[in-house]
Amino acid sequence: MQRKIEVCLTPALLDLYAIEESIVVVIDILRATSSIVYGIDNGAEAIIPVAQVEDCLSYKDHGYLLAAERNGEVVEGYDFGNSPFSYTSEKVAGKTVVLTTTNGTKALHLARERAAQVVIGAFLNLDSLCNWLKDQDKNVLLLCAGWKDQFNLEDTLFAGAVVNRLRASFVHFDDSSVASEDLYVLARQDLRAYLSKSSHSHRLAALNIEQDVQFCLQLNVCKAIPVLKGERLLAL
Amino acid sequence: MQRKIEVCLTPALLDLYAIEESIVVVIDILRATSSIVYGIDNGAEAIIPVAQVEDCLSYKDHGYLLAAERNGEVVEGYDFGNSPFSYTSEKVAGKTVVLTTTNGTKALHLARERAAQVVIGAFLNLDSLCNWLKDQDKNVLLLCAGWKDQFNLEDTLFAGAVVNRLRASFVHFDDSSVASEDLYVLARQDLRAYLSKSSHSHRLAALNIEQDVQFCLQLNVCKAIPVLKGERLLAL
């Protein structure tokens, strides 16, 4: 099989792609998919992504941890938001976390309607994810969650990192794969410095989550590849 | 006014942008907007972009030249398609051309529904366009026509060239502006070589329009800035 890799730069473009036979990698680097990877790697039994803050509440009496973030801040009354530092083994090992986020959950839900398989990517599990993708006999779509359906730099850079590592194993690349890879190669020496050019970065700075940003840009801290089974993200 | 420049990477994302007070630059480098710039520069009285091949036909008995292209090829029975070599002064001076194309017309029609002003950009009129944009007291949205609503490299590179030239005159840049400019800077030494990485380029090679591609990648061959007035593109 001459495998194809494509990058969907925002969920608003997902309808353009045939993904019924593809593995879709959902990417929301700041911070949903980074936290999911870290949480599963730290032994969370499952993470359940939900679309609305209100949906979280219906899980409240089942002993689940509830995580809700809107516009980058923890929603009042919830256990935590989507800072990766909330997903340490002390907090999540053996637990199920119900998570709602601004962009990541939306991308996940769109992808699962049609994709053959949905997995979670972040810089934290880059090599582990890429090694696994290499061994599957499937096309890959890298789905950037973006910011409110708009293109963002950090998700695109991660998509480019995946393309860069998979180049030798795939034959067909779309234009957004080419662009993403080139941006990643340009930025990889210092991802944080590169992202300081981003409008999103200014927004995040205002939220005082610089530690989170630094954490999410680390490569290969985790081995886990979260995969969607029904409504749950589990370790592959 | 602290002006903002944004890049809309495909027409499918245009709804995300507030453009009611903005100048929208429509970009379809291969080949619609390159041919429009060249045609207006060569003295065409007007170019009328229409959405459907059938729409062209209603203009047939008005002495207009009819240009129709679908999937990169001239439609049978039409005067020409959208190769820039059809838009020489010998052919178009003093004439009105009715043009339908795969992606460019669609982007134009979407933009004119809401934008304060719609103009046409191509490498052929890059500096002329940028000098004019600098002098307007308006935000700018660079609208890439893309390929069937997907991202493409050549339109993005041109958007990046505009961002690069306007950087000192604008204050706010979105993430897609940053990415486009960086890709342009990476590619500008040899745009043609860079585009050979594009999937679109393989498609164009199959259509045997290498001469057109080379032509469309020339900088500053034209001074004209086509502007949309009603349904017509005219010299500004």
Side-chain angles (χ1 to χ4, degrees):
Chain A
M1 181 184 177
Q2 292 207 329
R3 285 189 290 169
K4 178 171 64 177
I5 188 161
E6 294 172 305
V7 175
C8 179
L9 295 169
T10 101
L13 299 175
L14 187 60
D15 282 350
L16 301 172
Y17 298 85
I19 54 173
E20 287 71 13
E21 305 293 321
S22 301
I23 299 170
V24 172
V25 180
V26 174
I27 303 163
D28 185 8
I29 296 299
L30 301 177
R31 300 162 286 166
T33 63
S34 299
S35 293
I36 291 167
V37 166
Y38 191 54
I40 294 291
D41 203 64
N42 282 328
E45 190 174 295
I47 296 178
I48 304 176
V50 299
Q52 304 292 334
V53 171
E54 306 75 53
D55 300 337
C56 258
L57 286 175
S58 65
Y59 290 88
K60 198 166 177 75
D61 299 324
H62 295 70
Y64 296 164
L65 291 170
L66 304 190
E69 171 247 276
R70 274 295 174 273
N71 300 312
E73 299 190 330
V74 179
V75 177
E76 207 182 316
Y78 283 73
D79 298 307
F80 43 84
N82 66 359
S83 166
F85 294 107
S86 300
Y87 293 76
T88 57
S89 54
E90 291 73 20
K91 291 184 182 163
V92 302
K95 304 276 180 61
T96 293
V97 183
V98 183
L99 167 70
T100 173
T101 68
T102 313
N103 304 294
T105 302
K106 186 184 166 191
L108 263 168
H109 284 186
L110 281 173
R112 78 173 178 193
E113 287 173 17
R114 294 195 289 123
Q117 191 164 19
V118 178
V119 299
I120 300 295
F123 285 108
L124 299 174
N125 73 347
L126 174 61
D127 283 350
S128 173
L129 173 70
C130 289
N131 290 333
W132 178 78
L133 289 170
K134 270 182 205 163
D135 291 341
Q136 312 309 306
D137 194 30
K138 290 224 180 295
N139 293 325
V140 170
L141 180 91
L142 305 169
L143 173 57
C144 299
W147 178 250
K148 297 183 179 175
D149 277 342
Q150 292 200 26
F151 172 93
N152 81 23
L153 281 175
E154 66 273 16
D155 295 345
T156 306
L157 289 181
F158 176 75
V162 175
V163 173
N164 188 249
R165 277 161 176 74
L166 296 184
R167 182 157 281 284
S169 308
F170 285 70
V171 174
H172 301 291
F173 304 85
D174 66 350
D175 277 14
S176 41
S177 298
V178 172
S180 301
E181 185 184 15
D182 282 341
L183 290 169
Y184 169 70
V185 169
L186 195 66
R188 65 182 165 190
Q189 290 278 36
D190 189 342
L191 292 169
R192 184 67 192 89
Y194 188 82
L195 287 180
S196 67
K197 301 206 278 183
S198 159
S199 57
H200 197 55
S201 161
H202 301 318
R203 191 187 58 76
L204 291 167
L207 295 171
N208 204 15
I209 60 163
E210 179 58 30
Q211 271 196 308
D212 286 11
V213 176
Q214 300 276 358
F215 187 87
C216 295
L217 298 179
Q218 297 176 100
L219 269 60
N220 303 321
V221 171
C222 303
K223 296 278 183 210
I225 304 170
V227 58
L228 198 62
K229 300 268 187 193
E231 62 164 17
R232 291 166 177 254
L233 291 161
L234 308 170
L236 186 74
Chain B
M1 180 184 176
Q2 292 207 329
R3 285 190 290 169
K4 178 171 64 177
I5 188 161
E6 294 173 305
V7 175
C8 180
L9 294 169
T10 101
L13 299 176
L14 188 60
D15 282 350
L16 302 171
Y17 297 86
I19 54 173
E20 287 71 13
E21 305 293 322
S22 302
I23 299 171
V24 173
V25 180
V26 174
I27 303 164
D28 184 8
I29 296 299
L30 299 178
R31 299 161 290 166
T33 62
S34 298
S35 293
I36 290 167
V37 166
Y38 191 55
I40 294 291
D41 203 65
N42 281 328
E45 190 175 296
I47 295 179
I48 303 175
V50 298
Q52 304 292 334
V53 171
E54 306 76 51
D55 299 337
C56 257
L57 285 176
S58 65
Y59 291 88
K60 199 164 177 79
D61 299 324
H62 295 71
Y64 295 164
L65 291 170
L66 303 190
E69 171 248 276
R70 273 296 174 271
N71 300 311
E73 298 192 330
V74 178
V75 177
E76 207 182 317
Y78 283 72
D79 297 308
F80 44 85
N82 66 357
S83 166
F85 294 107
S86 300
Y87 291 76
T88 57
S89 54
E90 291 73 21
K91 291 183 181 164
V92 302
K95 304 275 180 61
T96 293
V97 182
V98 182
L99 168 70
T100 174
T101 69
T102 312
N103 304 294
T105 302
K106 185 185 165 191
L108 264 168
H109 284 186
L110 281 174
R112 78 173 179 193
E113 288 173 16
R114 294 195 289 124
Q117 191 165 19
V118 177
V119 299
I120 299 296
F123 286 108
L124 298 174
N125 73 345
L126 174 62
D127 283 349
S128 173
L129 172 70
C130 290
N131 289 334
W132 178 79
L133 288 171
K134 270 181 207 164
D135 292 340
Q136 312 309 305
D137 195 30
K138 289 223 180 297
N139 293 326
V140 170
L141 180 92
L142 304 170
L143 173 56
C144 299
W147 179 250
K148 298 183 178 176
D149 277 341
Q150 294 201 26
F151 172 93
N152 81 24
L153 281 175
E154 66 272 17
D155 295 345
T156 305
L157 290 180
F158 176 75
V162 174
V163 173
N164 188 248
R165 277 161 176 76
L166 296 185
R167 183 156 281 283
S169 309
F170 285 70
V171 174
H172 301 290
F173 303 86
D174 67 349
D175 278 14
S176 41
S177 296
V178 172
S180 301
E181 184 184 16
D182 282 341
L183 290 169
Y184 168 70
V185 169
L186 195 67
R188 66 182 165 190
Q189 290 279 36
D190 188 342
L191 292 170
R192 184 66 192 91
Y194 189 81
L195 287 181
S196 68
K197 300 206 278 182
S198 158
S199 57
H200 197 54
S201 161
H202 301 317
R203 191 186 58 76
L204 291 166
L207 293 172
N208 205 15
I209 60 162
E210 179 57 31
Q211 270 197 309
D212 286 11
V213 176
Q214 299 276 358
F215 187 87
C216 294
L217 298 179
Q218 297 175 102
L219 269 60
N220 303 322
V221 171
C222 303
K223 297 277 184 210
I225 304 170
V227 59
L228 198 61
K229 301 267 188 195
E231 62 164 15
R232 291 166 178 253
L233 291 161
L234 308 170
L236 186 73

